[in-house]
Amino acid sequence: MTNQEIVQDRHAGGQAIEVADENLVFRQLVIHDATPTGAQISHAAGFAPAQQAVVLHFLPDGDLEDIRPNQSVDLNAGRQFIVVETDRLFLLTINGERFEWPSRMISGAVVRKLGKVPPEDELLLTRVDEPDRVVAPRDLVDLGKGGIEAFVSRKPSWKLNVQGVVLTLHQPTIVVKQALLDAGFDPTKGWQIFLIVKGEPKRAVGLDFTVDLRTPGIEKLRLTPTGVHNGEAAATPRRQFDLLEVDEKHLDALGIFWETVIDGACRWLLIHNYQVPPGYAPRMVLLALLIPPTYPTAQIDMFYTSPKLNLTSGPPIDRTQVAATICGTPFNGWSRHRGPPTPWNPATDNVITHLALVESAIAKEVGQ
């Protein structure tokens, strides 16, 4: 037996309905007619005939049907009603066109029907001092708050960050290969591709994988070169000193080509083919981190690139003039340091957290 049947049985044959006023607070009533008229519903809600209350049948699809006093209602079509006393018409606009509505309340479904809004479009209620409100078919909007409520429709859109390039899509799904093409990356370059979802481990995906942007928490597609194409690194990586185990596992999981080298008194971590976001030239560099002998007790500071990164917009990048030479290759250092609010903590900071600082510093210069 359904909940509705239980309610009906409890009231010994009476028909359970729900009635709301202009405040949209539904209350349960019992009416002793399987096909009540608008007048009977109005009376059950506490209105006298002289009040000429408007009875609106709130249908499951969100439509609001105006029920005349002598019109019968099939309760199988829905048991929710809005009963309000009104003596005026309410105005609204839909995509700039003006409409009149005989009730203070209107549903999203009715707005769509009035304005002939395509079902695939989003419906929004425009607001001045806060973001526009998305209105679903069964959402109700109060037209009597003062002023004329304005509704607009638009094609829905989703955003996907592909290694710093933000795509705006009008479909909720996209194949990874197409996402790379749209973002300006050559999918034949042998990328390792990771889907980054907030709160979840990164997930390796292939070119044929379909990204569903309706999935909560999707942040980006991260691209990492699977090999060395410009001759910068030897086929076998150099490992002249060890990093922390957690660092090495992280770098290996990224699928990047990395090395540790000792040049004089300095220990360097080298990350080859490090990808930077649009707005820089070149788009791929050799990234170097100076690893102190007493790391992680001593912090990793700054970072270095070869060749030097330049903004395609023209202006020089502040505090990137520190010169270094590593195994005969010239580098430019970025003077980016941790501030007092977040000092280096040997218990929690490492190569992984410093790479996050690197990514943030580089992204900041191009407004990301």
Side-chain angles (χ1 to χ4, degrees):
M1 181 178 290
T2 66
N3 289 338
Q4 182 173 301
E5 290 170 336
I6 293 172
V7 170
Q8 293 176 12
D9 183 70
R10 184 184 302 157
H11 292 289
Q15 301 293 322
I17 63 173
E18 291 184 273
V19 174
D21 58 14
E22 65 272 11
N23 295 318
L24 302 184
V25 177
F26 283 91
R27 55 195 173 98
Q28 192 174 93
L29 301 175
V30 175
I31 194 164
H32 296 281
D33 195 322
T35 56
T37 64
Q40 288 175 300
I41 295 170
S42 174
H43 177 73
F47 289 90
Q51 292 179 276
Q52 297 183 337
V54 172
V55 177
L56 300 173
H57 194 182
F58 192 21
L59 299 172
D61 63 0
D63 200 0
L64 285 172
E65 181 183 358
D66 187 12
I67 305 300
R68 299 185 303 276
N70 61 350
Q71 179 182 349
S72 296
V73 177
D74 181 2
L75 295 182
N76 290 324
R79 293 174 174 266
Q80 287 188 320
F81 298 87
I82 300 169
V83 184
V84 294
E85 183 180 5
T86 182
D87 58 357
R88 54 169 284 196
L89 294 175
F90 294 86
L91 303 178
L92 65 149
T93 65
I94 308 171
N95 290 329
E97 186 176 356
R98 184 164 168 160
F99 294 88
E100 296 179 341
W101 183 246
S103 171
R104 179 170 176 167
M105 310 309 301
I106 192 166
S107 70
V110 171
V111 174
R112 284 180 173 275
K113 185 176 292 186
L114 288 175
K116 298 179 180 178
V117 176
E120 67 272 14
D121 286 6
E122 283 185 321
L123 180 67
L124 300 99
L125 174 64
T126 62
R127 297 190 282 194
V128 176
D129 297 324
E130 52 187 318
D132 294 345
R133 168 189 166 191
V134 176
V135 181
R138 281 184 59 83
D139 287 346
L140 294 169
V141 177
D142 186 349
L143 301 177
K145 293 183 177 180
I148 299 177
E149 298 290 5
F151 297 86
V152 295
S153 64
R154 69 181 182 195
K155 298 294 181 186
S157 63
W158 293 264
K159 293 187 182 296
L160 176 63
N161 183 327
V162 182
Q163 195 61 35
V165 180
V166 180
L167 303 178
T168 300
L169 309 171
H170 294 290
Q171 297 293 333
T173 62
I174 187 170
V175 177
V176 168
K177 181 178 180 180
Q178 188 61 52
L180 265 62
L181 289 169
D182 291 348
F185 296 98
D186 185 350
T188 67
K189 290 295 186 181
W191 303 102
Q192 282 197 319
I193 307 167
F194 298 95
L195 178 65
I196 309 300
V197 180
K198 186 176 182 180
E200 299 181 10
K202 68 179 182 179
R203 174 184 179 186
V205 296
L207 291 174
D208 294 332
F209 180 80
T210 298
V211 180
D212 188 341
L213 298 171
R214 293 166 295 194
T215 304
I218 285 185
E219 294 184 347
K220 65 163 66 172
L221 285 175
R222 177 184 292 163
L223 310 182
T224 302
T226 55
V228 180
H229 304 288
N230 57 6
E232 287 180 343
T236 301
R238 292 166 287 180
R239 297 287 193 268
Q240 296 179 0
F241 66 92
D242 294 331
L243 298 171
L244 299 177
E245 183 179 359
V246 66
D247 296 332
E248 295 188 356
K249 286 184 176 179
H250 176 75
L251 294 170
D252 288 340
L254 292 177
I256 59 179
F257 191 96
W258 62 275
E259 301 181 290
T260 55
V261 300
I262 300 175
D263 187 10
C266 296
R267 306 192 316 162
W268 297 95
L269 166 63
L270 303 179
I271 297 176
H272 293 262
N273 297 320
Y274 183 83
Q275 188 83 27
V276 298
Y280 284 102
R283 289 289 307 282
M284 193 177 290
V285 295
L286 178 58
L287 177 70
L289 304 183
L290 181 59
I291 309 297
T294 56
Y295 164 78
T297 302
Q299 70 170 332
I300 306 172
D301 194 28
M302 302 177 47
F303 60 93
Y304 300 77
T305 70
S306 179
K308 179 181 179 181
L309 281 171
N310 296 292
L311 295 174
T312 57
S313 57
I317 305 171
D318 188 34
R319 294 178 295 127
T320 59
Q321 290 75 39
V322 179
T325 301
I326 306 172
C327 299
T329 300
F331 282 75
N332 278 86
W334 287 51
S335 296
R336 301 297 186 268
H337 314 284
R338 294 171 178 268
T342 56
W344 178 269
N345 183 345
T348 56
D349 285 310
N350 47 37
V351 166
I352 301 170
T353 60
H354 195 71
L355 285 176
L357 181 149
V358 173
E359 183 175 346
S360 174
I362 291 175
K364 181 179 180 181
E365 298 296 330
V366 288
Q368 294 189 13

